[in-house]
Amino acid sequence: MIAKISIGKSLYGALAYNQKKVDQEKGKVLFTNKIIEKADGNFNIHECIECFNNYIPEGIRTKNNVIHISLNPHPDDKLTDEQLSKIAQEYMNKLGYGEQPFMVFKHEDINRHHVHIVSIRTNETGKKINDKFEHIRSQKITRELEQKYGLHPAAEKKQESERPELHRVNYKTGDIKHQIANTVKALCHEYKFQSFTEYRALLSLYNICVEEIKGESNGKPYNGLIYSATNSKGKKKGNPIKSSSIGQSVGYNAIKKRIVKSTSLIAKENLKGHLRDVISEILNNTRTRKQFEKELKKRGIDVLFRQNKTGRIYGVTFIDHENRTVLNGSRLGKELSANAFEEHFNNSISGDNRTSCPGLSPLGVDLGNGSFNSHPTRGQESFGNDIYSVDMRKRKRKKRKL
């Protein structure tokens, strides 16, 4: 069993995340501690927050006062609600939160049912619950619970992802805004990308197009993003949706910050080297593009080729779903650049429309109203005026001789 601990500021955010699972009938409340329960068994987020607030004195200094824990049993451990409740209660007791107000939710949106626990990190007097070596103590507790309840050890088999599988937006089913919002928020939070091109390529897998818009408000220039649903061929359907109507987490500034953070994470975890090795191995053992794409998929990797009208490949982007990383081929070396693939496959283009990045013209210029650009001959990508593509190299201006 694996326990994941997250610390944050927003009690509403943690409760809303879990309540949404309940509302979608993909989860339920197993039990609560020191939280008033209605006679009908239903819970209201605002009323729950009031219960939590009764245990939070004014003037506390702990900024991140919310703890959100998920307990993830091995997929082969089929536990009843009663067993999950006992495990959750014992875990909280051992971690030092047994006397705290908390709510325990069961999530059923993936095959491996698991629980989420929301609580606060200060007691009624304002003193913070002991969090020294919290993660180490948590691991020890889960090992003890595994032995007591006869559960599979966490190291015995790699756990399945807790995140439910995302589906492509289907404009025909309606509620496009809701579909786009859920998908974009998840992708932006989970995946790492270093340019707007890579972010755009990622969204295209899920029938979503993103464009940058520029304007002026009260004499001040501004930048924003709009999202649209597309069909399987990349043609936009329905009305575009402003990022502001979805949330700040998927807006222009948030994407800029994500690009910067992603660059650091990719370098720190050496994700380029890992992906390069996998792709090179597959490329050396395949002759056709269809074979190449098929073998990549087996390894959890999608590839998007950008082509001009004559079918020439001028851009390529890889999406590694296992490590949640998006990388243009040019970042992985010349041997995996667009020109290398053009030469390797000799213009042998498959008929799969999903391998073309939707919304791009043969020259890489956005067909919509956005300012997105791609420069295939230089292997560069841009977000607005190229200032947010992290690995862009500044050009030195040559001084003219007089």
Side-chain angles (χ1 to χ4, degrees):
M1 181 172 67
I2 292 178
K4 297 180 181 179
I5 300 176
S6 299
I7 305 300
K9 298 179 181 179
S10 176
L11 182 59
Y12 177 84
L15 292 175
Y17 168 78
N18 288 283
Q19 185 58 44
K20 187 175 182 179
K21 301 290 184 182
V22 177
D23 294 341
Q24 295 175 341
E25 297 183 349
K26 296 179 179 178
K28 58 184 175 182
V29 178
L30 285 182
F31 72 97
T32 64
N33 191 57
K34 296 187 177 181
I35 301 295
I36 298 175
E37 183 175 352
K38 291 184 177 180
D40 60 4
N42 294 321
F43 292 87
N44 177 281
I45 292 180
H46 296 287
E47 292 176 356
C48 291
I49 289 177
E50 288 182 8
C51 290
F52 278 103
N53 285 337
N54 290 333
Y55 296 89
I56 303 176
E58 295 182 4
I60 62 170
R61 296 183 178 181
T62 304
K63 293 182 179 179
N64 296 315
N65 196 33
V66 179
I67 184 168
H68 190 173
I69 303 166
S70 67
L71 299 179
N72 308 274
H74 188 281
D76 293 338
D77 291 325
K78 307 301 181 183
L79 302 171
T80 64
D81 289 355
E82 182 179 359
Q83 289 173 317
L84 286 172
S85 297
K86 287 182 178 179
I87 289 172
Q89 182 68 65
E90 289 189 38
Y91 177 89
M92 294 297 280
N93 290 342
K94 292 176 179 290
L95 196 61
Y97 288 82
E99 296 302 315
Q100 290 293 98
F102 59 82
M103 297 185 70
V104 180
F105 300 82
K106 178 184 179 183
H107 286 199
E108 302 170 326
D109 53 339
I110 58 177
N111 291 332
R112 176 180 49 76
H113 292 182
H114 54 285
V115 299
H116 281 244
I117 309 170
V118 178
S119 186
I120 51 177
R121 303 174 65 221
T122 52
N123 61 21
E124 293 175 90
T125 65
K127 183 179 179 180
K128 188 169 76 170
I129 304 299
N130 178 27
D131 62 349
K132 290 184 178 180
F133 309 108
E134 197 165 58
H135 286 82
I136 295 176
R137 289 190 289 116
S138 174
Q139 289 181 350
K140 182 180 178 181
I141 294 168
T142 55
R143 299 296 85 79
E144 293 173 354
L145 293 172
E146 284 171 354
Q147 292 181 0
K148 180 176 180 179
Y149 290 93
L151 306 179
H152 289 77
E156 181 175 308
K157 184 178 178 180
K158 187 176 180 180
Q159 296 279 312
E160 293 179 350
S161 171
E162 178 184 333
R163 307 173 186 90
E165 181 182 357
L166 291 172
H167 299 284
R168 292 175 181 172
V169 170
N170 186 348
Y171 69 94
K172 294 180 180 179
T173 62
D175 198 11
I176 292 178
K177 180 180 177 181
H178 182 72
Q179 290 187 65
I180 290 178
N182 285 345
T183 304
V184 169
K185 285 180 179 179
L187 293 174
C188 186
H189 176 71
E190 301 293 346
Y191 282 77
K192 297 174 280 290
F193 43 87
Q194 298 176 89
S195 72
F196 188 58
T197 309
E198 291 168 341
Y199 178 54
R200 200 161 185 261
L202 172 64
L203 295 187
S204 73
L205 281 181
Y206 297 90
N207 291 348
I208 299 174
C209 175
V210 59
E211 299 166 290
E212 181 187 351
I213 55 173
K214 294 182 178 181
E216 192 173 288
S217 178
N218 297 325
K220 295 182 179 180
Y222 71 85
N223 296 77
L225 298 178
I226 56 174
Y227 295 89
S228 304
T230 70
N231 60 17
S232 60
K233 295 182 179 180
K235 185 177 181 180
K236 287 180 281 189
K237 296 291 183 179
N239 296 322
I241 300 169
K242 292 182 178 180
S243 61
S244 58
S245 67
I246 298 176
Q248 292 183 350
S249 63
V250 296
Y252 183 83
N253 291 327
I255 300 303
K256 287 196 301 180
K257 292 179 181 178
R258 185 61 181 169
I259 287 173
V260 174
K261 184 177 180 180
S262 294
T263 302
S264 175
L265 292 173
I266 289 172
K268 182 179 179 180
E269 299 173 20
N270 190 30
L271 296 176
K272 285 184 183 180
H274 168 74
L275 189 57
R276 184 190 303 116
D277 293 343
V278 174
I279 296 171
S280 296
E281 176 190 347
I282 294 174
L283 185 62
N284 291 334
N285 290 286
T286 54
R287 297 185 62 183
T288 68
R289 189 166 129 182
K290 279 189 175 181
Q291 285 180 321
F292 179 63
E293 293 169 354
K294 184 178 180 181
E295 293 303 315
L296 283 175
K297 272 194 175 294
K298 291 180 181 178
R299 304 288 284 272
I301 301 170
D302 274 306
V303 58
L304 295 175
F305 290 103
R306 293 184 288 282
Q307 306 157 213
N308 62 17
K309 285 182 178 179
T310 65
R312 180 178 177 81
I313 299 172
Y314 69 78
V316 58
T317 302
F318 297 95
I319 301 171
D320 180 358
H321 298 289
E322 181 179 347
N323 293 303
R324 289 175 168 63
T325 305
V326 186
L327 289 168
N328 281 337
S330 58
R331 297 188 192 278
L332 301 173
K334 290 183 178 180
E335 67 277 11
L336 297 178
S337 66
N339 287 337
F341 283 105
E342 173 64 22
E343 182 177 347
H344 184 85
F345 295 126
N346 195 25
N347 284 329
S348 177
I349 307 301
S350 72
D352 182 6
N353 288 324
R354 295 304 304 174
T355 61
S356 298
C357 188
L360 298 187
S361 74
L363 296 178
V365 182
D366 197 320
L367 294 176
N369 297 322
S371 60
F372 164 66
N373 247 320
S374 175
H375 306 286
T377 58
R378 297 192 296 273
Q380 299 171 344
E381 306 82 40
S382 67
F383 189 170
N385 294 322
D386 287 344
I387 59 175
Y388 300 121
S389 182
V390 176
D391 76 338
M392 291 291 296
R393 295 178 175 85
K394 295 182 180 179
R395 298 179 179 179
K396 295 182 179 179
R397 293 182 178 178
K398 294 181 179 180
K399 296 182 179 180
R400 294 182 178 179
K401 294 181 179 181
L402 300 175

